[in-house]
Amino acid sequence: MSGLNFSRNKTRLSLIAMAVLIASLLASLTFGAAQISVTQVFYCLFEQCSDPLEQTLIWQIRMPRVLVALLCGAGLAVAGAILQNTTRNPLAEPYLFGVVAGAGLGASIASIWFVDHIGLVLPIAAFLGAILAISIVMLVGISTKARRVESLILAGVAVSFMLSAVSQFLLYMGDPFATNRVMFWLMGSLARVEMADLSIISPVILIGISLVLLFHRHIDALLLGDENAVSMGINVNILRLFMLAVCAALTATLVAYCGGIGFVGLMIPHIVRHWFGATTAPLLVGCCLLGSTFLLWVDVIARTIVEGQEIPIGIITSILGSIFFLTLMLRKNN
Amino acid sequence: MASSLLKVSNLSWQTDQQTILDSISFELCPQSVNAIVGPNGAGKTSLLRCLYKQINNYSGDVLLTDENIKNLSAKYLAKQIAVVNQHMPLSFTLTVYDIVCLGLIPHLSLFSQISKQQKALIETILVQLEIANLRARVFNQLSGGEQQRVLIARALAQQPKLLILDEPTNHLDIHFQHQILDLISKLDVCVLMTVHDLNLAAYYAQQILLLDRGQLVAHGQPDTVLTPNLINQVFNLPVELGTNPLNRKRHVYFSALAEEAKP
């Protein structure tokens, strides 16, 4: 840790990752049902599109999707990294704290009782459900003074099961179409996000990441254990709950708009730690760059792997994530 | 006695079931090396935890340069007292330099960067503790003695007046035990540490606090605290005293219980 003054090696890595991200962004705009070349994308972005259809395709359809992929990838990876560092648990990730189960409950309620206004109500209900889940986890944390990190994680798992059970009960008793809607929503997709939604998503993600960056040294101190952090003047309980709240806001917002996209918050911090180290500031920068690039390409796969059809993005991230972890385990065993 | 840095008066702490610390009073001088000795469960670590506010619900007073530590902010206290704990759970790999720099946290605001002076201070500490060549190494891959030096360096980066160490020689071989204690005894701060080995305490500490079942049985220079009666009373072991011919310091000889029982 040396403030945000990265070592030369990490600065070089960050620049390379940034270049890859920009190249990926441009390349991802070329993928889709209609073929648009890189040159045409360049013209549309920096000059004037030759074809009005391309203008609409790039600015109205593909660009919001690419931008939400950037924000979503960065947000989920940062939330995962912070939860792992603050709980000192390499397996911690945003969804471990009941966020998806809570959002699923909200989505179920919206799908059963607010069918007529589903487009408007679903993200709000999902967000409120996610906040409900994380609030219960945080209440448990406050009541036990978060003395044990394990109690937060166990509370997250318990809340997750409890809210999932309520969702399943509601869907079982309700309309079969609602079940389908919720199931597809939980699989995750970036297709639902429109340019206007970005005005809500981007401030939450940018403010969340900035807040976390402000406390990067304090989060590093938590890596040395709670007692050591206390002896360095840090209020460990408040810091941990505050970070949980920030991660909850990041994840709840993303889940509300994009559904469940698993493994990004778990896998990306592990990869980034390997290159950028475990200290929080470079880890966050790496997570933003790599998380964004990863989700950009996963979305490209989701859009193009089956012709004329889109695969839910959560399925692809889960497949890639599970393969990654199995490979990692096998490599470590060897 | 010079004016005290730390003054503890009638410190008591109890859990639901039992009294852990019972009316403990003592004073520590600036730049002195002090060792707390006593059997397992005597309350050594609990006493230390009260001094750096990890335990807050004690009765009595802990004054640091005449200010009650209960009235001091956590950040201010961290500039005055640094702690090296027995356990450091590291799930992720941090480098030596990363860890030592963490000691600057009490001196930095949320928005500030590490200054040139602070970087120079880190360099001085790394050289002083002979770990400058290890700066890029990952902490988990160091030997026990090297890890202990890194943790002490991190504590020194806090620029404290009082350095608290909980069993700094734990799990170290005899060479590293002496190396660490020699290093600690040369530091320019007041040191309060728990040690299990009475001879190490006698060699390196100027003052010894003998604790038993939560009570301070004796406090003073090694020659006055490490007496056969007191040691036998606290540790329930037959003991003889002598002088170490190499350093002319007090040496405690024990015999095994089984040998004592022989006719």
Side-chain angles (χ1 to χ4, degrees), chain A residues 157-289:
Chain A
V157 173
V159 167
S160 211
F161 275 106
M162 185 176 71
L163 298 185
S164 296
V166 176
S167 301
Q168 284 163 7
F169 176 74
L170 290 177
L171 291 171
Y172 180 75
M173 300 300 284
D175 172 13
F177 288 112
T179 311
N180 273 351
R181 240 189 325 264
V182 172
M183 218 178 87
F184 281 114
W185 177 82
L186 278 174
M187 288 176 188
S189 171
L190 305 184
R192 293 187 285 262
V193 182
E194 293 169 8
M195 209 59 159
D197 299 328
L198 287 172
S199 61
I200 296 170
I201 299 174
S202 32
V204 174
I205 304 300
L206 295 177
I207 292 170
I209 292 174
S210 307
L211 277 175
V212 168
L213 262 176
L214 266 185
F215 287 91
H216 69 100
R217 292 191 188 99
H218 297 71
I219 298 167
D220 285 341
L222 283 182
L223 289 175
L224 303 186
D226 285 6
E227 287 222 16
N228 283 307
V230 168
S231 75
M232 283 186 261
I234 292 164
N235 190 328
V236 169
N237 297 334
I238 299 279
L239 177 67
R240 190 169 284 130
L241 289 173
F242 178 59
M243 285 303 136
L244 190 58
V246 173
C247 292
L250 289 176
T251 319
T253 307
L254 293 171
V255 172
Y257 284 96
C258 309
I261 303 176
F263 273 102
V264 180
L266 185 60
M267 179 174 61
I268 298 297
H270 277 277
I271 299 172
V272 172
R273 220 172 260 119
H274 186 68
W275 288 329
F276 285 75
T279 42
T280 306
L283 179 67
L284 293 186
V285 172
C287 279
C288 284
L289 296 169

Side-chain angles (χ1 to χ4, degrees), chain B residues 62 64 90 129 170-171 234:
Chain B
V62 179
L64 184 75
L90 256 187
L129 297 199
N170 216 7
H171 307 304
V234 170

Side-chain angles (χ1 to χ4, degrees), chain B residues 250-263:
Chain B
R250 172 151 291 198
H251 194 91
V252 184
Y253 297 96
F254 298 98
S255 71
L257 285 170
E259 282 175 25
E260 191 65 16
K262 283 176 190 169

Side-chain angles (χ1 to χ4, degrees), chain A residues 4-273:
Chain A
L4 289 176
N5 304 326
F6 289 1
S7 67
R8 204 173 291 173
N9 189 30
K10 282 174 193 165
T11 310
R12 202 179 301 141
L13 269 173
S14 303
L15 289 173
I16 294 170
M18 178 83 82
V20 172
L21 174 62
I22 293 168
S24 303
L25 192 152
L26 292 173
S28 66
L29 286 170
T30 65
F31 289 94
Q35 287 295 314
I36 304 175
S37 69
V38 181
T39 328
Q40 286 164 306
V41 166
F42 237 87
Y43 266 110
C44 283
L45 288 181
F46 302 109
E47 305 238 335
Q48 188 68 36
C49 279
S50 51
D51 184 351
L53 182 67
E54 280 177 6
Q55 171 91 7
T56 311
L57 263 176
I58 287 182
W59 284 106
Q60 301 300 321
I61 294 171
R62 292 188 190 174
M63 190 53 98
R65 226 182 142 128
V66 164
L67 291 179
V68 83
L70 296 184
L71 291 168
C72 194
L76 289 175
V78 164
I82 292 310
L83 289 173
Q84 287 168 12
N85 275 16
T86 51
T87 61
R88 293 187 298 276
N89 185 334
L91 293 179
E93 68 143 351
Y95 297 168
L96 197 64
F97 293 88
V99 178
V100 172
L105 176 62
S108 304
I109 291 169
S111 299
I112 294 168
W113 287 303
F114 300 94
V115 184
D116 295 341
H117 308 285
I118 191 77
L120 178 72
V121 175
L122 196 140
I124 298 169
F127 180 81
L128 292 176
I131 293 296
L132 168 75
I134 211 77
S135 302
I136 299 172
V137 175
M138 285 178 70
L139 274 176
V140 174
I142 292 165
S143 64
T144 60
K145 291 186 181 167
R147 273 177 292 219
R148 288 171 65 86
V149 171
E150 294 83 354
S151 66
L152 277 178
I153 294 171
L154 287 175
V157 173
V159 167
S160 211
F161 275 106
M162 185 176 71
L163 298 185
S164 296
V166 176
S167 301
Q168 284 163 7
F169 176 74
L170 290 177
L171 291 171
Y172 180 75
M173 300 300 284
D175 172 13
F177 288 112
T179 311
N180 273 351
R181 240 189 325 264
V182 172
M183 218 178 87
F184 281 114
W185 177 82
L186 278 174
M187 288 176 188
S189 171
L190 305 184
R192 293 187 285 262
V193 182
E194 293 169 8
M195 209 59 159
D197 299 328
L198 287 172
S199 61
I200 296 170
I201 299 174
S202 32
V204 174
I205 304 300
L206 295 177
I207 292 170
I209 292 174
S210 307
L211 277 175
V212 168
L213 262 176
L214 266 185
F215 287 91
H216 69 100
R217 292 191 188 99
H218 297 71
I219 298 167
D220 285 341
L222 283 182
L223 289 175
L224 303 186
D226 285 6
E227 287 222 16
N228 283 307
V230 168
S231 75
M232 283 186 261
I234 292 164
N235 190 328
V236 169
N237 297 334
I238 299 279
L239 177 67
R240 190 169 284 130
L241 289 173
F242 178 59
M243 285 303 136
L244 190 58
V246 173
C247 292
L250 289 176
T251 319
T253 307
L254 293 171
V255 172
Y257 284 96
C258 309
I261 303 176
F263 273 102
V264 180
L266 185 60
M267 179 174 61
I268 298 297
H270 277 277
I271 299 172
V272 172
R273 220 172 260 119

Side-chain angles (χ1 to χ4, degrees), chain A residues 263 267 294 298 301 315-325:
Chain A
F263 273 102
M267 179 174 61
F294 173 75
V298 172
I301 295 171
I315 293 178
I316 302 171
T317 55
S318 296
I319 290 171
L320 292 174
S322 49
I323 291 171
F324 168 79
F325 273 102

Side-chain angles (χ1 to χ4, degrees), chain B:
Chain B
M1 193 184 232
S3 65
S4 61
L5 173 74
L6 186 84
K7 186 175 178 184
V8 176
S9 312
N10 291 317
L11 176 69
S12 299
W13 179 59
Q14 52 199 32
T15 61
D16 296 339
Q17 290 88 26
Q18 64 179 121
T19 299
I20 309 295
L21 299 170
D22 187 7
S23 292
I24 290 178
S25 300
F26 64 90
E27 294 183 27
L28 301 182
C29 293
Q31 295 169 0
S32 59
V33 178
N34 308 272
I36 303 175
V37 296
N40 289 334
K44 302 186 292 294
T45 300
S46 299
L47 173 58
L48 294 185
R49 296 177 87 209
C50 289
L51 302 184
Y52 59 89
K53 283 186 27 177
Q54 183 67 39
I55 294 173
N56 286 305
N57 55 343
Y58 59 81
S59 62
D61 292 318
V62 179
L63 305 181
L64 184 75
T65 53
D66 297 329
E67 285 184 282
N68 194 321
I69 63 163
K70 281 190 174 171
N71 301 329
L72 301 177
S73 72
K75 192 168 181 174
Y76 179 81
L77 195 67
K79 291 180 192 170
Q80 309 297 318
I81 301 177
V83 182
V84 177
N85 281 311
Q86 273 185 65
H87 307 291
M88 197 178 85
L90 256 187
S91 310
F92 301 111
T93 49
L94 291 177
T95 65
V96 168
Y97 191 77
D98 289 335
I99 290 176
V100 178
C101 282
L102 285 176
L104 294 172
I105 286 177
H107 299 272
L108 294 166
S109 72
L110 283 184
F111 297 95
S112 63
Q113 297 285 303
I114 296 176
S115 67
K116 278 184 183 169
Q117 287 87 347
Q118 286 168 329
K119 281 183 184 168
L121 171 75
I122 296 295
E123 289 306 319
T124 309
I125 292 170
L126 289 173
V127 172
Q128 185 186 4
L129 297 199
E130 298 172 15
I131 49 174
N133 57 329
L134 305 176
R135 71 178 67 221
R137 292 271 302 277
V138 169
F139 181 81
N140 292 349
Q141 294 167 1
L142 301 178
S143 69
E146 289 169 336
Q147 286 188 345
Q148 199 60 264
R149 277 186 284 157
V150 173
L151 296 181
I152 294 170
R154 195 270 300 155
L156 290 180
Q158 284 179 240
Q159 303 153 65
K161 289 179 180 151
L162 171 62
L163 175 61
I164 290 177
L165 302 115
D166 195 3
E167 298 191 22
T169 53
N170 216 7
H171 307 304
L172 298 184
D173 67 31
I174 193 75
H175 170 80
F176 281 125
Q177 286 181 14
H178 283 274
Q179 186 195 50
I180 289 294
L181 291 177
D182 182 58
L183 191 147
I184 288 168
S185 65
K186 289 174 184 161
L187 294 175
D188 204 18
V189 293
C190 175
V191 173
L192 179 62
M193 59 185 175
T194 59
V195 186
H196 267 298
D197 188 325
L198 299 183
N199 289 317
L200 287 177
Y203 295 166
Y204 292 98
Q206 287 139 19
Q207 298 274 318
I208 292 180
L209 294 93
L210 180 60
L211 227 60
D212 185 29
R213 282 171 284 185
Q215 292 185 320
L216 186 61
V217 178
H219 176 206
Q221 292 178 350
D223 288 355
T224 58
V225 174
L226 299 180
T227 63
N229 280 346
L230 279 174
I231 297 172
N232 186 264
Q233 173 196 325
V234 170
F235 291 95
N236 197 23
L237 264 180
V239 59
E240 283 289 334
L241 294 182
T243 304
N244 184 328
L246 296 175
N247 60 12
R248 311 305 306 162
K249 296 220 171 174
R250 172 151 291 198
H251 194 91
V252 184
Y253 297 96
F254 298 98
S255 71
L257 285 170
E259 282 175 25
E260 191 65 16
K262 283 176 190 169

